[in-house]
C-alpha cells in the first residue's frame, strides 16, 4: 500500500481544511486508516482512525467534535475534515495504514509523506 497525503495549507484560526490521503495498491480495504500529526520539537501523535468499512472511528480528545475522519473505499481515499482549527493544531499531518485498531504509531505499517497544516492566530 502506498499513501499520498494532500490538502494541507495555511488557514486562520477558526477555519477549516480537508486533508486527503489516496492509497494505491491492493488490499487497501484490509487496513484501518489513521491520521497522525507532528509539530516541531514534539513527538508524533495520534489524531484519528477509521475502521476498514468506515463504520467506526476514534479520535484523540483534543480534536473530538472538531475533526472528522472518513473513507471512500471506492476511491481508495481517506479524509480528515478539520473544523474550528486552532494554532495548536498546526503540524505536519501523516496518513497511515494499520492491520490493527490502534493509536500507536509503531503499529501502523504504511505511511504517507505528510502534508503541512499551518494555523495563524
Amino acid at each position: 500500500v502506498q499513501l499520498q497525503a494532500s490538502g494541507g495549507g495555511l488557514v486562520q484560526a477558526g477555519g477549516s481544511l480537508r486533508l486527503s490521503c489516496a492509497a494505491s495498491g491492493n488490499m487497501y480495504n484490509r487496513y484501518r486508516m489513521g491520521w497522525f500529526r507532528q509539530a516541531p520539537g514534539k513527538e508524533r501523535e495520534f489524531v484519528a482512525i477509521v475502521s476498514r468499512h468506515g463504520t467506526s472511528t476514534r479520535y484523540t480528545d483534543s480534536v473530538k467534535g472538531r475533526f472528522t475522519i472518513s473513507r471512500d473505499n471506492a476511491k481508495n481515499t481517506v479524509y480528515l475534515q478539520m473544523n474550528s482549527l486552532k494554532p495548536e493544531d498546526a503540524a505536519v499531518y501523516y496518513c497511515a495504514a494499520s492491520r490493527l485498531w490502534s493509536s500507536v504509531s509503531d503499529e501502523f505499517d504504511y505511511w504517507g509523506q505528510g502534508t503541512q497544516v499551518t494555523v495563524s492566530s
Side-chain angles (χ1 to χ4, degrees):
V1 177
Q2 296 170 334
L3 306 175
Q4 179 75 35
S6 62
L10 172 64
V11 64
Q12 287 188 330
S16 299
L17 280 175
R18 188 176 80 156
L19 305 183
S20 299
C21 177
S24 60
N26 54 16
M27 300 195 301
Y28 162 77
N29 292 359
R30 297 188 183 184
Y31 289 88
R32 287 80 175 177
M33 298 299 297
W35 287 95
F36 288 76
R37 64 187 180 186
Q38 187 167 20
K42 295 187 176 181
E43 293 188 352
R44 188 173 298 186
E45 68 166 341
F46 167 80
V47 176
I49 188 171
V50 61
S51 61
R52 289 177 294 176
H53 301 294
T55 53
S56 296
T57 58
R58 177 183 173 187
Y59 300 91
T60 192
D61 286 347
S62 63
V63 308
K64 285 180 181 177
R66 300 188 297 122
F67 289 12
T68 302
I69 188 171
S70 62
R71 66 192 294 167
D72 184 339
N73 287 348
K75 296 182 179 180
N76 278 15
T77 302
V78 61
Y79 304 98
L80 185 67
Q81 177 67 43
M82 305 185 296
N83 298 328
S84 302
L85 281 160
K86 304 175 180 180
E88 52 263 42
D89 294 318
V92 177
Y93 282 70
Y94 299 89
C95 59
S98 176
R99 291 164 292 175
L100 305 175
W101 185 251
S102 174
S103 61
V104 178
S105 59
D106 287 349
E107 294 181 344
F108 282 73
D109 304 295
Y110 301 98
W111 291 83
Q113 86 289 2
T115 184
Q116 177 73 50
V117 172
T118 304
V119 184
S120 62
S121 57

